[in-house]
């Protein structure tokens, strides 16, 4: 595989891992008190929005021409960083 295919495969795997982790966060929300639960769910919605943006960037990256691929890779890197940060916020969320 080439660099492009390796990167796309890596990002698709990471996005799917984050999606599974988000589902686990959703299940955890049931354990929280009302105020804490509201904040947790707000953070969860931000995570989902970041993931949706990352998936959009991923699909654009996959269909990008060779000339535009580098630009879309930069957008994918940024979107991936935002999802990673949102996942870390959720992981570190305290009741």
């Amino acid at each position: 595989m080439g660099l492009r295919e390796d990167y796309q495969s890596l990002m698709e795997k990471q996005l799917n891992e984050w999606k599974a982790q988000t589902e686990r966060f959703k299940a955890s929300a049931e354990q929280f008190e009302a105020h804490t639960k509201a904040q947790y769910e707000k953070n969860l919605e931000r995570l989902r929005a970041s993931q949706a943006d990352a998936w959009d960037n991923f699909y654009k990256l996959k269909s990008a021409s060779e000339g535009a691929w580098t630009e879309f890779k930069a957008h994918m890197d940024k979107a991936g960083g935002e999802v990673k940060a949102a996942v870390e916020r959720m992981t570190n969320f305290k009741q």
Side-chain angles (χ1 to χ4, degrees):
M1 266 196 255
L3 176 64
R4 180 178 176 161
E5 291 82 13
D6 289 345
Y7 179 82
Q8 288 173 185
S9 178
L10 176 69
M11 288 311 302
E12 186 171 24
K13 180 181 175 190
Q14 183 64 66
L15 288 167
N16 283 318
E17 287 175 13
W18 285 329
K19 182 179 179 182
Q21 194 167 15
T22 300
E23 290 304 313
R24 289 190 297 273
F25 291 141
K26 180 181 175 186
S28 296
E30 299 305 316
Q31 302 171 17
F32 297 123
E33 302 274 333
H35 174 70
T36 304
K37 183 177 178 180
Q39 184 61 43
Y40 187 85
E41 288 177 345
K42 184 177 179 182
N43 287 341
L44 185 58
E45 286 303 313
R46 288 183 192 148
L47 171 58
R48 287 184 178 139
S50 295
Q51 285 178 317
D53 185 50
W55 277 107
D56 287 345
N57 279 293
F58 177 73
Y59 293 126
K60 289 175 185 174
L61 175 84
K62 284 184 72 167
S63 64
S65 67
E66 286 296 321
W69 191 82
T70 303
E71 180 182 338
F72 283 106
K73 181 183 177 297
H75 292 293
M76 185 69 239
D77 289 340
K78 182 178 184 237
E82 290 171 2
V83 173
K84 182 179 178 183
V87 167
E88 287 174 1
R89 278 192 302 276
M90 293 299 295
T91 301
N92 296 325
F93 189 85
K94 303 293 183 215
Q95 292 188 36

